[in-house]
């Protein structure tokens, strides 16, 4: 997804913009650009491709700008190209704009602007913005921005640079994140905190409709009618190193290895040491509200949706309330039977996913209480939900989600235990057994990471495959879906996940000699059935790698490779089972020379529909 940076102050502008854009690379992008106020004009440099292309363009040039804006673009309106890259300018080159989001009414605006004589160069929705500035400008950039946003429908985080007012940057947000970094004699703007961390930890997180008037000396925040807004400073506590690769070849690998710590962080402070009860102080539902819940909905996208599938199993088992689960892009349009008696749980690592945010809004509109499980403090989803449970996974930079997923699973379990406690649906001994096992998960994940040689052997043999199948039953099926998604998205191997009992209803036709099948057999009550399903695919000469709990009998006799996992409570098994699947996807992608951290066509934070 697109990234924005802005700088105003005495230091050389270009390196600050380029470094900021570099820190935002993880968001995924196809082109980049910067604009600077230079002498008598605004200079714009933009290039399709990775940042190096832009660096090359700038190489050897001298600049004396006091302000600049930069952007990494992920194409929506108009293909990736130099011309469609941001910043965009007006006819006379007096305004430069970078923008994240979508201006939904850009077509009528564009037609109107063309009828007024404006000349457009790109295919983007964004280009209406500088032309609107040009049309409305009467000597005050802030007032012009206020006037422009009254014309807009859609989502935007934008920053504007004006030739006539070189000493200020003006920024505004609506449904797309934007942060002001507060320096001394200099100030910054960015769509995301990591771009600011090496300069400042003091920030203003802009809310929808807020406008920031940024000069080197200070930052004034106004609402859309020009009234001053008193902002409190948000001090970022992350370590800068936390947002970098820390010695691993890829962010994804680093994040896989961070899971033992992340899982512990997710639990920290949430289990009362005396009573070993779950304490979720962030959730402000009263016990009466919890007791009145008639139905639970879970909605999310991608990996977060897969975490929701596990959540459904856990909550139904522990709380005995029916749980419906939907992909957020479906939920928002299917007229769901959500009402004031429903609890809707939205799951989103980034807290900015457009479909999940829309599902949240739709649920609230229908009177439901919304509980968000998210990783990003003060994200849009966190701000709009009634209750929040942060995953505390730390920044996740690789596009493929790993530690966010396992910490989301932990949160699902915390929610299940919390609700079960209030509704009295779980025997104390069972609750204590689950909590005891939850506390051990971090160490068990570490043990798995230290003993994954089976994966290496499998990768050596199958990195050239173009197809793979993941099979499992019950919770193992939900983890199979996540394993298949991971393999597809980063290694580009076509992978399908099947409920193992469904194979004979069609998929067996695709199982032929040498096809790799990853069989998950961690659920004790379904184990014998899984062994039969493994035999079914072996009979078609597939090569099977099985994942089973320590002590599982017979699996060696039927599978070609077996990876044993430390045993745990069946509801918690997904946290362990997914880890070898993450590593499998990672190692396959490396063996196939794929861009692990930024797979093709994908973005980390999907803030458009
Ligand atoms: C896959 C992946 C995506 C995200 C999905 C939702 O590895 O990361 O499928 O899970 O785009 O993103 P969030 O969780 O930010 O709402």
């Amino acid at each position: 997804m697109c990234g924005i940076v802005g700088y105003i102050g005495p230091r050389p502008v270009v390196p600050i913009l380029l470094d900021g854009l570099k820190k935002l690379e993880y968001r995924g992008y196809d082109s980049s650009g910067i604009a600077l106020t230079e002498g008598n004009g605004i200079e714009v440099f933009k290039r399709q491709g990775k940042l190096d292309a832009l660096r090359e363009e700038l190489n050897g040039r001298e600049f004396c700008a006091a302000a600049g804006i930069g952007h990494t673009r992920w194409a929506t309106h108009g293909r990736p190209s130099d011309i469609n890259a941001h910043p965009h300018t007006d006819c006379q080159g007096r305004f430069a704009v970078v923008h994240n989001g979508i201006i939904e009414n850009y077509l009528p605006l564009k037609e109107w602007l063309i009828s007024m004589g404006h000349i457009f160069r790109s295919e983007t929705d964004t280009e209406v913005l500088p032309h609107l500035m040009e049309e409305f400008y009467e000597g005050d950039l802030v007032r012009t921005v206020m006037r422009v946003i009254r014309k807009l429908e859609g989502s935007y985080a934008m920053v504007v640079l004006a030739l006539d007012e070189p000493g200020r940057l003006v920024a505004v947000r609506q449904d797309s994140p934007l942060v002001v970094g507060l320096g001394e004699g200099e100030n910054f703007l960015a769509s995301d905190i990591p771009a600011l961390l090496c300069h400042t930890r003091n920030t203003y997180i802009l809310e929808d409709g807020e406008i920031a008037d940024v000069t080197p000396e200070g930052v004034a925040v106004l609402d859309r009618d020009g009234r001053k807004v008193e902002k409190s400073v948000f001090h970022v506590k992350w370590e800068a190193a936390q947002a970098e690769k820390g010695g691993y070849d890829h962010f994804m690998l680093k994040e896989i290895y961070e899971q033992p710590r992340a899982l512990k962080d997710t639990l920290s402070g949430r289990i009362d040491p005396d009573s070993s009860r779950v304490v979720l102080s962030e959730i402000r539902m009263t016990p009466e509200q919890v007791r009145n819940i008639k139905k639970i909905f879970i909605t999310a996208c991608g990996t977060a949706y897969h975490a929701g599938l596990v959540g459904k199993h856990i909550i139904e088992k522990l709380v005995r309330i029916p749980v419906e689960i939907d992909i957020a892009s479906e939920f928002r349009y299917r007229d769901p039977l959500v009402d004031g008696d429903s609890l809707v749980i939205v799951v989103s690592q980034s807290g900015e996913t457009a479909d999940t945010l829309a599902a949240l809004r739709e649920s609230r509109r229908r009177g439901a209480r919304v509980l968000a499980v998210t990783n990003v403090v003060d994200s849009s989803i966190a701000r709009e939900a009634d209750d929040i449970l942060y995953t505390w996974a730390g920044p996740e930079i690789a596009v493929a989600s790993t530690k966010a997923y396992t910490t989301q699973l932990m949160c699902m379990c915390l929610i299940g235990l919390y609700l079960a406690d209030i509704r009295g649906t779980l025997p104390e001994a069972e609750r204590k057994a689950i909590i005891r096992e939850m506390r051990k998960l971090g160490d068990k994940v570490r043990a798995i990471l230290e003993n994954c040689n089976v994966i290496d052997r499998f990768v050596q043999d199958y990195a050239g495959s173009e197809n793979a199948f993941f099979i499992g039953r019950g919770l193992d099926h939900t983890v199979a879906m996540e394993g298949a998604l991971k393999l597809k998205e980063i290694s580009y191997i076509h992978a399908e996940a099947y409920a193992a009992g469904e194979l004979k209803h069609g998929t067996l036709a695709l199982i032929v000699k040498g096809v790799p099948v990853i069989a998950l057999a961690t659920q004790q009550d379904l184990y014998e059935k899984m062994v039969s399903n493994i035999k079914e695919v072996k009979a078609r000469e597939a090569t099977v790698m099985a994942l089973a709990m320590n002590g599982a009998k017979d699996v060696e006799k039927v599978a070609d490779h077996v990876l044993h996992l430390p045993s745990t409570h069946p509801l918690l098994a997904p946290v362990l089972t997914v880890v070898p699947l993450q590593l499998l996807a990672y190692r396959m992608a490396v063996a196939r020379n794929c861009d692990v951290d930024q797979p093709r066509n994908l973005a980390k934070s999907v803030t458009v529909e």
Side-chain angles (χ1 to χ4, degrees):
M1 198 53 50
C2 307
I4 287 178
V5 293
Y7 174 71
I8 190 157
R11 289 194 279 157
V13 175
V14 172
I16 291 179
L17 295 180
L18 291 176
D19 286 354
L21 293 178
K22 184 94 196 141
K23 295 271 166 20
L24 297 180
E25 276 193 310
Y26 64 90
R27 293 165 69 96
Y29 69 106
D30 52 57
S31 50
S32 60
I34 60 168
L36 315 160
T37 38
E38 271 288 303
N40 296 330
I42 292 178
E43 289 214 45
V44 178
F45 304 90
K46 44 195 203 171
R47 289 294 296 273
Q48 186 184 345
K50 295 283 176 191
L51 264 180
D52 284 345
L54 180 64
R55 276 186 202 281
E56 219 169 273
E57 169 103 1
L58 295 165
N59 220 357
R61 293 179 194 249
E62 301 269 326
F63 298 99
C64 56
I69 55 179
H71 192 263
T72 46
R73 176 173 187 256
W74 185 68
T76 54
H77 291 62
R79 73 207 144 82
S81 70
D82 289 354
I83 287 182
N84 286 337
H86 299 209
H88 289 284
T89 52
D90 60 307
C91 302
Q92 301 170 60
R94 285 166 59 217
F95 301 91
V97 177
V98 287
H99 161 236
N100 290 356
I102 289 183
I103 307 299
E104 285 172 7
N105 60 336
Y106 83 103
L107 277 176
L109 288 172
K110 189 168 174 175
E111 273 167 30
W112 176 70
L113 286 160
I114 290 171
S115 76
M116 302 294 285
H118 292 262
I119 294 167
F120 279 74
R121 283 164 291 225
S122 77
E123 303 158 300
T124 64
D125 53 334
T126 301
E127 200 184 341
V128 297
L129 300 172
H131 292 286
L132 285 169
M133 300 280 167
E134 183 177 36
E135 189 61 35
F136 295 150
Y137 189 68
E138 285 175 346
D140 183 332
L141 188 56
V142 173
R143 300 229 150 260
T144 309
V145 168
M146 279 163 51
R147 205 165 154 200
V148 167
I149 61 175
R150 272 184 221 126
K151 295 274 173 207
L152 304 180
E153 289 164 25
S155 59
Y156 46 85
M158 69 165 150
V159 186
V160 190
L161 188 75
L163 183 61
D164 295 356
E165 300 180 51
R168 75 201 316 190
L169 295 174
V170 177
V172 59
R173 74 153 273 173
Q174 179 67 42
D175 292 326
S176 195
L178 200 55
V179 186
V180 184
L182 305 167
E184 302 217 341
E186 60 180 358
N187 285 301
F188 307 82
L189 284 152
S191 51
D192 218 354
I193 285 171
L196 303 173
L197 277 187
C198 57
H199 304 295
T200 180
R201 290 176 172 276
N202 292 330
T203 64
Y204 288 154
I205 313 272
L206 294 185
E207 303 281 339
D208 281 350
E210 285 181 350
I211 300 166
D213 181 7
V214 183
T215 64
E217 294 77 34
V219 178
V221 179
L222 311 166
D223 68 15
R224 56 176 89 239
D225 298 317
R227 285 182 296 253
K228 196 157 190 296
V229 178
E230 290 304 330
K231 295 290 287 182
S232 42
V233 174
F234 179 72
H235 186 75
V236 182
K237 296 203 179 98
W238 302 342
E239 285 311 313
Q242 238 184 312
E244 290 172 7
K245 279 186 212 153
Y248 289 94
D249 289 342
H250 297 95
F251 282 114
M252 183 182 174
L253 190 61
K254 171 174 172 273
E255 287 158 10
I256 289 173
Y257 276 82
E258 279 172 352
Q259 291 178 109
R261 182 203 50 75
L263 289 166
K264 286 190 176 158
D265 285 354
T266 310
L267 278 192
S268 92
R270 286 169 169 165
I271 295 173
D272 182 87
D274 299 326
S275 62
S276 75
R277 283 181 191 283
V278 170
V279 186
L280 302 180
S281 45
E282 309 96 312
I283 297 186
R284 287 162 305 185
M285 256 182 291
T286 62
E288 200 193 342
Q289 282 171 318
V290 171
R291 280 191 282 269
N292 286 340
I293 297 168
K294 302 275 183 305
K295 195 165 184 182
I296 296 178
F297 293 78
I298 304 179
T299 184
C301 303
T303 288
Y305 167 74
H306 294 156
L309 288 170
V310 177
K312 171 184 162 69
H313 277 251
I314 293 176
I315 294 170
E316 285 190 342
K317 195 95 181 163
L318 301 185
V319 194
R320 309 309 293 162
I321 298 181
V323 180
E324 275 191 36
I325 164 114
D326 279 275
I327 292 167
S329 55
E330 295 293 323
F331 178 88
R332 62 185 289 194
Y333 295 119
R334 81 160 170 97
D335 195 11
L337 295 172
V338 170
D339 59 22
D341 293 332
S342 315
L343 172 68
V344 176
I345 302 175
V346 297
V347 189
S348 173
Q349 186 283 131
S350 62
E352 301 294 345
T353 300
D355 284 317
T356 312
L357 185 57
L360 176 158
R361 288 177 178 159
E362 181 60 20
S363 304
R364 295 199 71 209
R365 200 181 63 75
R366 288 167 187 255
R369 192 166 179 105
V370 175
L371 163 59
V373 174
T374 183
N375 193 33
V376 180
V377 177
D378 234 18
S379 56
S380 303
I381 285 176
R383 272 181 280 119
E384 293 194 26
D386 298 290
D387 301 291
I388 310 162
L389 192 58
Y390 287 116
T391 43
W392 299 131
E396 190 179 67
I397 299 205
V399 165
S401 195
T402 53
K403 61 179 180 169
Y405 172 77
T406 43
T407 54
Q408 283 160 359
L409 298 187
M410 201 68 129
C411 285
M412 289 298 160
C413 209
L414 286 169
I415 293 169
L417 290 168
Y418 170 82
L419 298 177
D421 202 15
I422 295 174
R423 293 173 70 109
T425 50
L426 187 65
E428 175 140 358
E430 175 77 349
R431 175 173 57 77
K432 285 194 166 153
I434 296 174
I435 287 178
R436 213 170 27 246
E437 280 305 314
M438 285 171 87
R439 287 190 161 124
K440 293 182 194 161
L441 283 176
D443 292 336
K444 291 186 177 179
V445 167
R446 186 172 295 112
I448 294 170
L449 289 170
E450 284 164 5
N451 184 22
C452 264
N453 302 341
V454 172
I455 301 276
D456 291 331
R457 288 200 295 278
F458 197 74
V459 170
Q460 264 167 25
D461 292 346
Y462 290 97
S465 296
E466 288 311 321
N467 295 292
F469 292 87
F470 290 72
I471 59 173
R473 286 171 173 261
L475 276 171
D476 278 335
H477 175 224
T478 67
V479 182
M481 291 167 79
E482 175 59 7
L485 174 63
K486 283 289 93 84
L487 191 65
K488 278 184 275 211
E489 69 175 324
I490 61 165
S491 77
Y492 316 145
I493 293 174
H494 170 239
E496 294 290 345
Y498 274 90
E502 270 290 292
L503 284 176
K504 59 179 84 61
H505 299 289
T507 321
L508 266 183
L510 296 173
I511 306 292
V512 291
K513 188 171 180 176
V515 165
V517 174
I518 294 95
L520 311 186
T522 73
Q523 298 294 303
Q524 222 166 354
D525 52 341
L526 297 164
Y527 179 73
E528 300 302 335
K529 305 265 173 219
M530 259 318 285
V531 169
S532 304
N533 294 130
I534 294 174
K535 285 181 184 159
E536 259 168 18
V537 293
K538 275 310 300 171
R540 274 85 191 166
E541 298 185 72
T543 304
V544 176
M545 178 168 75
L547 270 59
M549 290 303 180
N550 277 339
K553 287 202 182 73
D554 294 339
V555 64
E556 256 97 6
K557 289 185 203 147
V558 289
D560 301 278
H561 310 266
V562 180
L563 202 146
H564 287 283
L565 304 171
S567 55
T568 187
H569 190 285
L571 289 180
L572 303 176
V575 178
L576 304 182
T577 318
V578 78
V579 174
L581 305 187
Q582 295 167 343
L583 275 179
L584 174 71
Y586 173 78
R587 300 222 168 120
M588 283 286 197
V590 171
R592 291 163 68 91
N593 281 326
C594 297
D595 187 347
V596 172
D597 283 336
Q598 287 172 38
R600 68 186 180 207
N601 305 339
L602 295 179
K604 183 66 186 163
S605 178
V606 186
T607 55
V608 291
E609 189 174 1

